[in-house]
Amino acid sequence: QHKYQVTVDASFRQVAMLATADATSTRRIAFEQPSSAPGAKGYVSNHTVEKTFSGAVEEIHLSKHVVPRIATVAVQGLRSSMDLTQYKIRLSPLVTLPVLLTLKAGDFTKSVSWSTLPGSILSVPAGSKEFELKVFLADFEVGIPEAWTSTPSDATFWTGFQPSEHPTDSHCAEACRHNPRCFSQYLGHHGCFYILGKHRSLEEGHVPTVHSKGDRNLTGRLAGCQLHEDSDGTLLAEGGETLTFQSVFPDWGSASAELNFALHMAVGEQSHDSASIVIQLQKGPPSLTDALGVLLGRVNGEDIV
């Protein structure tokens, strides 16, 4: 077997790779780094095999590299005329992301897929003051992708791919932001990889049970609450599959409020914010001027409104 897959937390910027070989039949071991840009080849480093140590260690860099992130280990025999034996290791990123938001206030309950939050304003009853806010989390591992427009019948979440001639981070992020099925994105060699999900199924309560694939400490931070003597307006919640914020009093400005959510993750010796978003609230139903749109069409080469 010459192809392998290793799951690595998306927060890791480098990993150490050790390769060993029979010193009596090996001249050198070469490591090729994963590509750092679409269409580019990774840097290659060579290690001469000594009789006293028949192995080599290389630091594999992962930060801002395109997916699939593939490192290559090549082994050269004693004769230079012999073909290299290559081993390819796909380093699949694993990430924990919010997938569903639930707001409760008395008899009022609203469930919103996390993928639909960017740019959305959530309407809540005008008389509501105190809320309970729950954030449901899930682990995602980038796998073999489906087509961008496909929807697998047997999965709640899956990996999608959209080809692009000249993909960029901003292009991938913009496409994800405007797709209600998209939870996150990765830059690829010939397009964009996306974490996609059935957002309507989530909002109907079909949240899959998720068992964490890593030893992680997850903390949610919610800012934008009312200030008082014992609080600076920030609430914290710890958990695994769900983060629950009790007694949330939004700091209303007239009929609107903003809650700033951030997911803080500690894994190994690393600690960072892995996701953040602004949750916009509004008292009462939206007015007609809250959402305006323009429909453009083209007839005989001319744009019409």
Side-chain angles (χ1 to χ4, degrees), residues 153-234:
S153 60
D154 58 346
T156 304
F157 303 106
W158 64 94
T159 303
F161 179 76
Q162 184 181 38
S164 176
E165 187 174 353
H166 302 291
T168 62
D169 281 315
S170 60
H171 166 76
C172 298
E174 187 69 11
C176 183
R177 175 180 172 82
H178 293 294
N179 189 326
R181 303 188 308 161
C182 185
F183 291 83
S184 189
Q185 73 286 331
Y186 294 90
L187 177 63
H189 287 277
H190 304 289
C192 305
F193 289 84
Y194 299 98
I195 296 173
L196 303 177
K198 297 177 180 177
H199 63 290
R200 297 194 184 280
S201 178
L202 288 171
E203 294 175 346
E204 293 171 355
H206 303 296
V207 181
T209 301
V210 178
H211 301 288
S212 179
K213 300 177 181 178
D215 183 15
R216 309 169 181 190
N217 293 318
L218 299 170
T219 303
R221 184 174 66 250
L222 191 68
C225 303
Q226 292 180 9
L227 302 175
H228 54 79
E229 293 181 357
D230 300 327
S231 173
D232 62 353
T234 300

Side-chain angles (χ1 to χ4, degrees), residues 1 47 52 60 75 86 97 104-105 143 172 174 189 206 214 288:
Q1 180 178 342
H47 300 260
T52 56
I60 303 299
V75 179
Q86 292 190 337
L97 290 175
K104 291 184 179 181
C172 298
E174 187 69 11
H189 287 277
H206 303 296
L288 294 177

Side-chain angles (χ1 to χ4, degrees), residues 104-108 123-131 226 248-250 252 254-255 282-285:
K104 291 184 179 181
D107 296 332
F108 168 79
S123 295
V124 298
S128 300
K129 295 182 179 180
E130 181 180 354
F131 295 85
Q226 292 180 9
V248 177
F249 293 88
W252 295 100
S254 184
Q282 175 179 282
K283 291 182 179 180

Side-chain angles (χ1 to χ4, degrees), residues 74 91 211 261:
L91 302 160
H211 301 288
F261 172 84

Side-chain angles (χ1 to χ4, degrees), residues 4-277:
Y4 301 86
Q5 176 188 345
V6 178
T7 300
V8 180
D9 194 277
S11 64
F12 286 7
R13 297 190 175 186
Q14 64 274 329
V15 295
M17 186 172 292
L18 169 66
T20 60
D22 185 356
T24 61
S25 59
T26 306
R27 172 176 295 180
R28 66 182 177 91
I29 297 175
F31 294 87
E32 182 178 332
Q33 298 281 343
S35 174
S36 59
K41 289 185 64 66
Y43 172 76
V44 177
S45 60
N46 292 286
H47 300 260
T48 301
V49 174
E50 305 289 345
K51 292 183 179 180
T52 56
F53 180 61
S54 58
V57 179
E58 184 71 17
E59 187 177 85
I60 303 299
H61 300 281
L62 302 175
S63 179
K64 296 183 178 181
H65 283 192
V66 297
V67 296
R69 303 182 303 187
I70 298 177
T72 303
V73 178
V75 179
Q76 174 69 63
L78 296 179
R79 297 182 181 179
S80 58
S81 59
M82 297 177 61
D83 292 334
L84 293 172
T85 301
Q86 292 190 337
Y87 302 88
K88 294 186 178 293
I89 302 93
R90 179 162 64 93
L91 302 160
S92 299
L94 172 69
V95 62
T96 300
L97 290 175
V99 296
L100 184 69
L101 169 70
T102 298
L103 278 171
K104 291 184 179 181
D107 296 332
F108 168 79
T109 300
K110 179 186 288 288
S111 295
V112 183
S113 172
W114 205 264
S115 59
T116 65
L117 281 179
S120 297
I121 300 176
L122 308 184
S123 295
V124 298
S128 300
K129 295 182 179 180
E130 181 180 354
F131 295 85
E132 178 191 85
L133 189 148
K134 285 188 177 182
V135 177
F136 294 84
L137 307 174
D139 283 342
F140 296 98
E141 182 178 341
V142 177
I144 304 301
E146 302 281 347
W148 168 249
T149 56
S150 298
T151 302
S153 60
D154 58 346
T156 304
F157 303 106
W158 64 94
T159 303
F161 179 76
Q162 184 181 38
S164 176
E165 187 174 353
H166 302 291
T168 62
D169 281 315
S170 60
H171 166 76
C172 298
E174 187 69 11
C176 183
R177 175 180 172 82
H178 293 294
N179 189 326
R181 303 188 308 161
C182 185
F183 291 83
S184 189
Q185 73 286 331
Y186 294 90
L187 177 63
H189 287 277
H190 304 289
C192 305
F193 289 84
Y194 299 98
I195 296 173
L196 303 177
K198 297 177 180 177
H199 63 290
R200 297 194 184 280
S201 178
L202 288 171
E203 294 175 346
E204 293 171 355
H206 303 296
V207 181
T209 301
V210 178
H211 301 288
S212 179
K213 300 177 181 178
D215 183 15
R216 309 169 181 190
N217 293 318
L218 299 170
T219 303
R221 184 174 66 250
L222 191 68
C225 303
Q226 292 180 9
L227 302 175
H228 54 79
E229 293 181 357
D230 300 327
S231 173
D232 62 353
T234 300
L235 299 177
L236 299 177
E238 295 183 356
E241 301 172 7
T242 307
L243 300 173
T244 302
F245 297 90
Q246 303 280 1
S247 301
V248 177
F249 293 88
D251 188 10
W252 295 100
S254 184
S256 62
E258 290 186 350
L259 297 174
N260 295 275
F261 172 84
L263 177 63
H264 186 81
M265 184 176 68
V267 52
E269 297 181 356
Q270 301 191 78
S271 179
H272 70 290
D273 285 345
S274 61
S276 61
I277 200 169

